[in-house]
């Protein structure tokens, strides 16, 4: 048995849902299918919430009509859908009843936001199940609220694995007796009082991972609009190619340093349970995609290069601190007091360079640091990170990196703690050139 998750772009319109059906038809394995809302629907529902907050009843109704029409269009284009039309009508009737009531109250609570956002997935999962059944695939639809049990942290709920595990075993798995496929909604769940919760934006991956663990699936497939995780952003380097295998640590480093493909936290439970996770492209199902596992298969490699733009370096120097102690802690207290996360750090006894992304309190930070040090700011730099657990084991990687960048000014270097990444900082204006050179060195040469 496997769990497949299809994101919003994979269920964008009738045509893409037909492609989903073809993917499900490729083998006879039993499947749980977790789907996101149709593309754009969650965003429009969020916009509807904003209009309700501003008491714009008419705009909220207009947006609701727009979303309803989109859902009806998709279901009418999917040949054979029998029950979807009425289901959609009914659900939008419910939404329309909330709007004036919430506007009247003049406040939209996190709980009511979740209530409204949940309709995106409630509808897409019902329509897709209805369609799959019509195509002859024996499919059961299950309301996610029946199985995904969460705490009451609305908008960002956490799943209660014990309760969810119990309902998966009691309600979901028995459906396989007379079905080959079970469809449910990603992103939504329900708390102990029966209120609808959501798992945070992009939360469908989390749902899929939880179900994979609770149902002891053999694998989890996350279907997207990209061929897995790439060696770098293909918008920057055309020759970027998919990475065949990554460890969980590598995938996390990539996400942390700017790659936006997958939020590793969301698949953590599946990985920890030893379930392999595949990231694949809906429009090219023959492509192997990227496999993410707990441990790295090929430890002798740099797997990908990622980058972050709009970074600022704060360089802090205090000769008074020579031989004294407490310098680092004084410096970090300042960043902490302005709730500003520090990303990379390099230090010598009297000098620290740190990078920050958020510059909201930069002026205050500089003022406070200046009380005991000289401070110098470099703006508009970018961090490029080479990621791979192999960096720890393979001699010569730093040499290759700096050789590739031999005519580019490297402002700061960081390699350490996690041992799965080597980061360099360059001027933002040099970013494209630097990434291309690194990509060429590590991923385009023979044998790479
Ligand atoms: N539909 C939700 C969102 O757009 C959840 C998801 O797609 O994973 O954030
Ligand atoms: Mg999404």
């Amino acid at each position: 048995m496997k769990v497949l998750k299809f994101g919003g772009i994979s269920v964008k319109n009738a045509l893409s849902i037909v492609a989903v059906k073809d993917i499900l038809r490729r083998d006879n394995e039993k499947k749980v299918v977790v789907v996101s809302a149709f593309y754009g629907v969650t965003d429009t529902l969020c916009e509807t919430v904003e209009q309700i907050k501003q008491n714009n009843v008419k705009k909220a109704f207009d947006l609701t009509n727009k979303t309803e029409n989109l859902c009806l269009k998709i279901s009418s284009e999917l040949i054979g859908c029998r029950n979807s039309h009425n289901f959609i009508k009914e659900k939008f009737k419910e939404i329309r009843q909330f709007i004036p009531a919430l506007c009247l109250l003049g406040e939209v609570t996190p709980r009511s936001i979740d209530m409204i956002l949940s309709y995106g997935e409630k509808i897409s999962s019902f329509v897709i199940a209805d369609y799959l059944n019509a195509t002859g695939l024996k499919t059961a639809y299950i309301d996610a609220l029946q199985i995904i049990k969460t705490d009451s942290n609305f908008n960002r709920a956490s799943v209660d694995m014990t309760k969810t595990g119990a309902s998966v075993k009691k309600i979901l798995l028995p459906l396989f007796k007379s079905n080959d496929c079970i469809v449910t909604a990603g992103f939504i769940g329900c708390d102990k009082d029966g209120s609808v919760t959501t798992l945070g934006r992009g939360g469908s991956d989390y749902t899929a991972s939880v179900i994979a663990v609770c149902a002891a699936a053999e694998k989890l497939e996350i279907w997207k609009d990209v061929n897995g995780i790439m060696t770098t952003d293909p918008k920057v380097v055309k020759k970027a190619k998919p990475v065949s295998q990554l460890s969980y640590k590598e995938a996390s480093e990539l996400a942390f340093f700017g790659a936006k493909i997958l939020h590793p936290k969301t698949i953590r439970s599946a990985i920890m349970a030893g379930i392999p996770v595949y990231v694949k492209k809906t429009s090219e199902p023959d492509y192997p995609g990227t496999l993410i596992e707990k441990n790295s298969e090929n430890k002798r490699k740099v797997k990908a290069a990622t980058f972050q733009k709009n970074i600022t370096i704060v360089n802090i120097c205090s000769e008074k601190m020579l031989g004294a102690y407490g310098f680092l802690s004084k410096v970090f207290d300042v960043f902490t007091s302005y709730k500003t996360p520090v990303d990379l750090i390099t230090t010598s006894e009297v000098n620290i360079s740190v990078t920050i992304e958020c510059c909201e309190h930069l002026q205050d930070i500089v003022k406070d640091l200046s009380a005991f040090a000289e401070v110098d700011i470099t703006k508009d730099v970018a961090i490029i990170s080479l990621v791979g657990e192999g960096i720890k084991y393979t001699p010569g990687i730093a040499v290759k990196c700096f050789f590739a960048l031999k005519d580019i000014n490297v402002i700061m270097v960081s390699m350490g703690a996690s041992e799965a990444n080597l980061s360099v900082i360059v001027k933002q204006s040099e970013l494209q050139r630097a990434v291309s050179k690194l990509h060429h060195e590590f991923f385009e040469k023979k044998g790479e």
Side-chain angles (χ1 to χ4, degrees):
M1 194 274 289
K2 64 179 172 181
V3 176
L4 300 91
K5 181 256 166 175
F6 293 92
I9 301 184
S10 303
V11 294
K12 186 178 176 181
N13 50 35
L15 216 63
S16 48
I17 296 170
V18 173
V20 167
K21 182 260 300 170
D22 292 337
I23 289 169
L24 299 174
R25 286 278 192 178
R26 284 160 67 92
D27 59 63
N28 293 326
E29 252 178 283
K30 299 263 184 199
K31 300 172 181 79
V32 178
V33 179
V34 175
V35 295
S36 287
F38 299 138
Y39 182 67
V41 166
T42 310
D43 286 340
T44 315
L45 291 170
C46 285
E47 238 179 287
T48 312
V49 168
E50 283 310 310
Q51 296 304 333
I52 295 174
K53 278 186 189 161
Q54 292 165 29
N55 209 351
N56 278 330
V57 183
K58 168 147 188 340
K59 283 206 178 128
F61 273 120
D62 287 349
L63 288 168
T64 306
N65 295 344
K66 183 178 142 193
T67 319
E68 181 177 37
N69 290 336
L70 175 91
C71 295
L72 287 171
K73 181 171 187 288
I74 293 177
S75 81
S76 67
E77 285 171 7
L78 287 168
I79 297 163
C81 275
R82 273 181 307 165
N83 307 317
S84 294
H85 186 87
N86 289 346
F87 184 85
I88 295 169
K89 285 278 182 194
E90 203 181 286
K91 294 297 152 194
F92 279 97
K93 200 169 142 198
E94 287 172 23
I95 300 178
R96 285 196 185 87
Q97 279 164 356
F98 291 133
I99 294 174
L102 291 172
C103 283
L104 197 69
L105 280 173
E107 69 165 6
V108 189
T109 59
R111 181 161 165 256
S112 31
I113 293 175
D114 279 358
M115 175 67 142
I116 293 177
L117 296 192
S118 70
Y119 281 96
E121 269 75 4
K122 276 184 185 163
I123 291 169
S124 64
S125 55
F126 186 92
V127 171
I128 290 166
D130 189 19
Y131 168 67
L132 292 176
N133 250 316
T135 66
L137 193 63
K138 278 193 191 155
T139 306
Y141 162 74
I142 182 155
D143 181 354
L145 306 196
Q146 275 192 284
I147 47 172
I148 305 294
K149 305 293 172 191
T150 71
D151 59 16
S152 304
N153 190 7
F154 296 103
N155 306 168
R156 280 204 105 58
S158 293
V159 176
D160 180 326
M161 291 301 278
T162 314
K163 287 189 190 155
T164 303
S167 43
V168 163
K169 282 183 192 86
K170 196 166 149 225
I171 308 171
L172 186 142
L173 291 177
L175 293 170
F176 277 129
K177 275 188 208 132
S178 43
N179 294 282
D180 295 324
C181 193
I182 299 168
V183 179
T184 197
F187 180 54
I188 62 176
C190 123
D191 74 358
K192 64 173 186 333
D193 305 319
S195 299
V196 184
T197 55
T198 67
L199 310 178
R201 292 301 307 266
S204 299
D205 291 349
Y206 182 24
T207 306
S209 169
V210 162
I211 294 182
V213 174
C214 294
E218 273 138 44
K219 59 179 145 173
L220 167 61
E221 295 176 356
I222 310 262
W223 291 82
K224 292 189 164 282
D225 60 332
V226 286
N227 263 324
I229 294 167
M230 309 289 278
T231 45
T232 196
D233 186 342
K235 283 191 214 106
V236 173
V237 181
K238 283 208 183 69
K239 286 185 178 161
K241 53 192 176 190
V243 181
S244 60
Q245 193 272 349
L246 284 172
S247 69
Y248 182 68
K249 189 172 182 179
E250 290 166 338
S252 305
E253 290 284 310
L254 280 176
F256 181 65
F257 286 102
K260 289 185 193 71
I261 300 304
L262 180 86
H263 217 299
K265 238 175 44 198
T266 59
I267 56 157
R268 192 181 153 82
S269 50
I271 296 282
M272 294 310 146
I275 300 170
V277 178
Y278 292 82
V279 181
K280 289 175 65 95
K281 184 174 179 178
T282 318
S283 59
E284 275 180 275
D286 286 327
Y287 243 83
T290 302
L291 165 61
I292 306 170
E293 288 174 297
K294 202 164 174 179
N295 296 312
S296 199
E297 194 181 74
N298 188 345
K299 290 206 163 151
R300 303 201 67 82
K301 260 197 153 177
V302 176
K303 301 280 179 71
T306 181
F307 54 83
Q308 276 172 295
K309 289 198 239 179
N310 301 325
I311 301 294
T312 297
I313 302 178
V314 184
N315 185 45
I316 307 137
C317 180
S318 176
E319 295 195 354
K320 272 186 277 174
M321 293 309 292
L322 197 63
Y325 52 82
F327 180 40
L328 285 178
S329 95
K330 263 171 115 172
V331 166
F332 287 117
D333 282 349
V334 173
F335 287 97
T336 308
S337 67
Y338 293 104
K339 294 198 168 73
T340 299
V342 164
D343 296 326
L344 298 183
I345 309 164
T346 59
T347 66
S348 67
E349 179 145 354
V350 294
N351 190 87
I352 309 179
S353 298
V354 304
T355 67
I356 57 173
E357 203 183 350
C358 162
C359 287
E360 208 188 320
H361 301 291
L362 186 60
Q363 268 190 351
D364 292 324
I365 292 172
V366 171
K367 198 168 137 245
D368 288 12
L369 291 170
S370 300
F372 59 90
E374 274 166 42
V375 185
D376 180 50
I377 302 293
T378 313
K379 287 197 167 216
D380 299 322
V381 299
I383 305 177
I384 307 173
S385 303
L386 294 171
V387 171
E389 293 198 58
I391 292 173
K392 182 179 169 188
Y393 303 96
T394 320
I397 287 184
V399 170
K400 269 175 113 179
C401 168
F402 293 112
F403 176 74
L405 298 177
K406 64 181 184 299
D407 55 1
I408 291 176
N409 189 23
V410 174
I411 307 172
M412 200 172 138
V413 182
S414 166
M415 176 178 162
S418 85
E419 293 150 346
N421 101 62
L422 167 60
S423 297
V424 294
I425 295 184
V426 299
K427 267 203 221 149
Q428 192 142 301
S429 52
E430 302 262 51
L431 176 70
Q432 163 108 30
R433 211 158 66 89
V435 176
S436 304
K437 282 176 180 286
L438 287 169
H439 194 271
H440 179 78
E441 184 64 39
F442 284 95
F443 309 110
E444 291 166 34
K445 291 194 164 170
K446 253 199 162 141
E448 294 298 342

